Amino acid sequence: MKFNIIFVALIAFSTSFISCSNDDNNNVTQGTVGDVQLYFDNGVNGDALILGSTYTNSNNESLTVNRLNYIISNVVLVQADGTEYIYPKEESYFIISAEDNRLTIHLEDIPAGDYSTLKFGIGVDQQRYLQGETQQQSFWDLATQYNLTWTWSTGYRFINFEGSFTAPGLDGSKTFQVHQGSNSATDNYREVALTLPTTARVRQGDEPSIHLKTDANVLLDGQTKVKLADNLNEAQTGAAVMGGENLIHIADNSTAMFTIDHVHNGNGAHEEE
């Protein structure tokens, strides 16, 4: 009888020890939350984006980039079992700007867990826009500061990509403007879903950093090629893509603009480089 009592006690202790060990390894406590950082590392065709520098694409056009600003929205984090955490919509609109090194998004109060997929939108969705100017005045004002709006009736610029370019057959350098946004003809808001190379371990007191690479080259030089030289104005002084079929191509190309480079786990966010 004494032996049985000791044996049962040992089993209970072992079970308790294993359970505690698993808790220590996973460190996920029901109801706890943590933060997540998204870091956007802007580049052009594998090179770091340095404003004022020149890059040549497969269209044989050389672009000197002076501006790259864009809107990230509607962030969703997904665990391996498919459980989704949708970041609160009213707080889920952000601006990334190469002009003033605004490259980081901080997401707060994310339920603790191991996240394997990141989803987000490029631009402002129609549901949000149709809420009206009053409901989004603070973000509208911020977007205006970063040249990411037209008038209220024409809405947001989702991506503002500008500079100058040269191309064979053209006389000297020309300006270019690529402004992706929705219009009365088309909804150019797009969404992407990216699988993380390693899970982002959200824990209380920790802030994993998801490092994304942004390739501005794919806007014009992606799956569908868009030549700036084919979009010159009548005066032949510059090219602008702000509507029509080419803007739809650019919006579709933009979904391939983002990739996940790596994930920093643990306490301590990624430092901007």
Side-chain angles (χ1 to χ4, degrees):
M1 179 64 72
K2 177 184 284 189
F3 175 79
N4 288 339
I5 292 173
I6 294 173
F7 182 71
V8 170
L10 286 172
I11 292 177
F13 174 78
S14 299
T15 303
S16 175
F17 178 78
I18 292 171
S19 177
C20 289
S21 297
N22 287 337
D23 286 344
D24 289 341
N25 289 334
N26 294 326
N27 198 26
V28 178
T29 305
Q30 190 71 25
T32 62
V33 297
D35 296 342
V36 173
Q37 181 192 84
L38 307 181
Y39 175 76
F40 291 81
D41 188 357
N42 294 315
V44 181
N45 201 23
D47 294 324
L49 173 61
I50 301 173
L51 296 182
S53 295
T54 300
Y55 308 86
T56 300
N57 61 26
S58 70
N59 296 329
N60 205 20
E61 295 179 331
S62 294
L63 281 64
T64 301
V65 181
N66 296 327
R67 171 172 290 157
L68 177 65
N69 299 337
Y70 48 92
I71 296 172
I72 298 298
S73 61
N74 297 315
V75 176
V76 179
L77 291 165
V78 187
Q79 298 193 54
D81 64 0
T83 302
E84 292 190 345
Y85 176 71
I86 301 173
Y87 203 68
K89 189 172 183 62
E90 297 302 314
E91 304 170 21
S92 199
Y93 294 85
F94 311 93
I95 290 172
I96 301 297
S97 172
E99 289 185 281
D100 67 355
N101 213 36
R102 186 187 180 101
L103 306 175
T104 304
I105 293 172
H106 292 280
L107 306 174
E108 299 179 342
D109 298 331
I110 308 298
D114 295 336
Y115 293 90
S116 59
T117 302
L118 171 67
K119 298 180 181 179
F120 58 86
I122 306 169
V124 177
D125 55 289
Q126 283 293 303
Q127 180 186 10
R128 177 63 168 161
Y129 176 66
L130 292 175
Q131 288 178 348
E133 185 174 2
T134 302
Q135 295 296 317
Q136 50 199 298
Q137 189 67 58
S138 60
F139 183 73
W140 175 264
D141 291 343
L142 180 63
T144 299
Q145 293 178 31
Y146 286 91
N147 296 284
L148 288 168
T149 59
W150 285 297
T151 64
W152 176 252
S153 61
T154 47
Y156 292 91
R157 296 170 177 148
F158 302 162
I159 298 174
N160 188 332
F161 183 46
E162 296 181 346
S164 59
F165 77 103
T166 60
L170 293 185
D171 181 18
S173 178
K174 314 293 181 182
T175 62
F176 77 85
Q177 295 177 306
V178 175
H179 295 168
Q180 178 188 334
S182 294
N183 51 51
S184 58
T186 59
D187 180 1
N188 292 316
Y189 170 79
R190 295 291 185 271
E191 293 182 332
V192 297
L194 303 172
T195 300
L196 306 185
T198 55
T199 56
R201 291 167 48 84
V202 178
R203 303 290 187 272
Q204 188 172 22
D206 288 349
E207 184 181 8
S209 177
I210 301 172
H211 184 128
L212 297 97
K213 293 279 191 179
T214 304
D215 184 4
N217 184 65
V218 305
L219 293 172
L220 298 168
D221 194 15
Q223 183 173 354
T224 303
K225 311 296 182 183
V226 178
K227 291 185 177 182
L228 292 169
D230 293 341
N231 291 273
L232 286 171
N233 55 29
E234 290 185 7
Q236 301 286 293
T237 57
V241 183
M242 302 182 186
E245 185 176 357
N246 277 337
L247 188 64
I248 298 173
H249 293 323
I250 287 171
D252 290 339
N253 285 346
S254 72
T255 61
M257 189 166 68
F258 303 97
T259 55
I260 304 292
D261 187 67
H262 59 271
V263 177
H264 289 280
N265 278 306
N267 193 10
H270 178 85
E271 293 185 3
E272 296 176 3
E273 300 169 346

